[in-house]
Amino acid sequence: MKELREYQSQIVNKVIASEKDMLICLPTGSGKTFIAWSVIKALNEEGLTVVFVVPRLELIEQAVNEFGDVDVIWSDKTNLTGKKCVVASKDSLRTQYKCVPECSVLIFDEAHISLEQTFNLVQLIKPLRVLGLTATPERMDGKALLKGFDSLHKFGVFDELLQEETVSSLIKKGYLCPLKYYTKPIEGIVDIKPDEANGQELSDEQMTDIFDTNQIWGDLVQSYETYGIENGIKRPALGFTNTIAMGKKVCEIFNNAGYNFKIITGEMSVKERKDLIRQLKDREVDGLINAALLTYGFDCPSVSYAFSCRHIKSRPLWFQIVGRILRTCEGKENAIFVDHGDSVSEFEEPTCSLPILDPCIVWKVNGETKEERQRRKKAQKKERDSLKILQDLDPLPCKMVEIKPEDTWERMIKVLQRLKALNDNLFEQNQEMQNNLNNIYNEKEKLQRELKSKSNKRFIDSEKTFEFVRKNYCFIRNEIYERMHNCTDWKNLSDEEKSEEEHLMTMKKLLKLEIDLPFLIDHVQFNRGMDYWKTHWSYRPKVW
């Protein structure tokens, strides 16, 4: 018989010792159903009937297998024999609520789902106490799960949140598998709005366009072969798509590549779905592709590879999907999730790039007003802008990259430290260059003093050099032009060759005149003057 883990035992004791309506938050795969059964047994011992309410038909069978001999409220399969534990379908309970004995306790599995329906059931049944189980105690529509007095808390049914563990803490304790998360960043995807006016997620058409534009289809098989196959052994795989149509396309891509993938949908019977999941467990198929079906309540610990072809904007949904593969299993060393739709860009925070592994995760269990949501969106935009700057300074490769739960500010600080070190190095180099220039200037002055003493106190004079070139270049060049103009050899040269030769001859003659000058030529100024007159000289005959 299974025994409660330490954290499970603490939760059970706190629930039994309290009289409050409590919402228990634990990650996917942490044993919430076993905790519920332990609570149910303790409450049964107190003479209370407990109704365990599930949102999906498959979960009824899971609960019955976990709890044993219990009564069931499920459409036309309802069977009540007076047992103290009843497993009920949420939809069936809406029409059969009168079957619930008075003074009962209600436990809602996946308590974040269909909040208004949960509230209405509580109002109809009026239980002694309400308990809830969920891995993600918040909603994308901003409604609160806890009780309150404003419109935000209108459908809240719980008094407080009980959160003892996180994904990160349970991985450290060995109760969940270590996670490796890969994605290829898609520029601007977080700014894309859903097609539908009140839509929360991107449509199949939008995702198809994104996959076409960013050439992602080819990544599906390549990523599976890179991360999902080790030493020829294929990891059981689970794929997530928006719709059945997209699921079929993804399935076809894998099958065309030689793998055995099948699609599983809500249109199938429970028996068909069970058989497909069994095939995955027994490795008769390589993978299952589902369209918005296996986002919660899916229990197949051997699955160690999952990928998403969706861009998810709901943090609870994202947590639920990634959490599907974190259960431990013999021989399973880790779980790999490949985010082809770059959903993680919606949720990364400065304090944690991969929030599902954030040890200090904070849930919006008290809901979120429209104003709070707008402020959060603005803050997220600033964070993303900061991350873009960080990406420019410290670029990640554009190919598939592993996302780790590092603190983005720490990464930014490391970049700034590198920039500071570079700046310090540049400062040192600048100082060294300045010292070299000073040495050159000193040497130049020393040389001028030596030349001055060696040339009868002559010294380099830039202004006089300028005047010397200005007054003599045209005069000497004219002389050379007139002397050479009628020479036979000279006539065979092109105009450009004549001009270049005349200029060089003029320069040489001017330099020879330096010996008779009362100053030394400044060669920098001399070369500037020569360049100027080379392009501005034109022959002017003497006028007698």
Side-chain angles (χ1 to χ4, degrees), residues 123 261 473:
Q123 300 305 306
F261 275 63
Y473 182 92

Side-chain angles (χ1 to χ4, degrees), residues 7-243:
Y7 70 88
Q8 293 173 332
S9 180
Q10 290 174 353
I11 291 172
V12 171
N13 292 337
K14 287 183 179 181
V15 172
I16 298 303
S18 174
E19 295 181 354
K20 293 183 177 181
D21 296 330
M22 304 181 78
L23 177 59
I24 302 166
C25 173
L26 273 173
T28 300
S30 59
K32 291 189 291 295
T33 306
F34 186 50
I35 289 173
W37 178 231
S38 300
V39 170
I40 289 170
K41 288 191 294 184
L43 293 175
N44 287 163
E45 290 174 2
E46 297 177 8
L48 297 173
T49 297
V50 181
V51 182
F52 188 74
V53 187
V54 298
R56 182 172 284 170
L57 299 183
E58 287 91 337
L59 298 181
I60 291 180
E61 185 171 351
Q62 287 184 24
V64 170
N65 291 336
E66 183 78 37
F67 301 161
D69 189 17
V70 297
D71 284 345
V72 175
I73 298 177
W74 174 17
S75 187
D76 58 349
K77 298 179 178 63
T78 295
N79 181 28
L80 299 176
T81 61
K83 292 184 173 63
K84 291 293 184 181
C85 179
V86 181
V87 176
S89 158
K90 202 169 194 177
D91 289 333
S92 299
L93 197 59
R94 184 174 52 185
T95 57
Q96 301 183 45
Y97 69 92
K98 291 183 179 179
C99 298
V100 177
E102 294 183 359
C103 302
S104 298
V105 174
L106 294 183
I107 300 180
F108 288 92
D109 194 21
E110 305 294 348
H112 62 286
I113 296 174
S114 304
L115 191 60
E116 185 174 355
Q117 188 180 1
T118 299
F119 177 82
N120 291 334
L121 286 174
V122 171
Q123 300 305 306
L124 290 171
I125 297 172
K126 294 181 173 54
L128 287 176
R129 194 174 174 195
V130 179
L131 300 174
L133 300 169
T134 181
T136 52
E138 73 177 32
R139 292 174 55 86
M140 194 175 181
D141 60 12
K143 293 178 182 177
L145 278 71
L146 301 186
K147 297 173 185 175
F149 302 100
D150 57 13
S151 59
L152 205 64
H153 295 75
K154 181 178 179 180
F155 300 116
V157 296
F158 302 104
D159 293 317
E160 65 178 39
L161 176 69
L162 178 59
Q163 182 177 6
E164 294 291 314
E165 301 287 346
T166 63
V167 172
S168 177
S169 66
L170 291 182
I171 288 176
K172 287 181 180 179
K173 293 177 180 180
Y175 295 125
L176 292 178
C177 268
L179 172 66
K180 288 191 173 183
Y181 194 103
Y182 297 89
T183 193
K184 183 164 73 172
I186 300 174
E187 181 69 26
I189 194 167
V190 295
D191 300 320
I192 299 175
K193 306 298 181 185
D195 278 340
E196 298 179 10
N198 297 319
Q200 295 181 335
E201 299 294 338
L202 300 186
S203 68
D204 193 28
E205 292 77 12
Q206 287 177 294
M207 288 309 304
T208 299
D209 182 60
I210 290 168
F211 271 43
D212 288 341
T213 303
N214 294 276
Q215 301 177 335
I216 296 174
W217 299 111
D219 292 340
L220 302 182
V221 173
Q222 183 180 349
S223 295
Y224 180 61
E225 292 176 341
T226 302
Y227 308 114
I229 302 177
E230 297 176 356
N231 300 321
I233 299 175
K234 293 175 282 190
R235 291 175 179 249
L238 186 64
F240 295 87
T241 62
N242 277 23
T243 64

Side-chain angles (χ1 to χ4, degrees), residues 461-462 465-466 468-469 473 503 506-512 514 517 521-533:
D461 193 316
S462 178
T465 300
F466 172 80
F468 170 71
V469 174
Y473 182 92
H503 175 75
T506 304
M507 179 186 294
K508 289 177 182 178
K509 188 163 185 179
L510 286 172
L511 290 173
K512 286 181 180 179
E514 183 183 27
L517 296 176
I521 289 176
D522 183 339
H523 288 276
V524 173
Q525 182 62 51
F526 178 85
N527 289 332
R528 288 176 183 167
M530 295 301 294
D531 288 340
Y532 173 83
W533 286 109

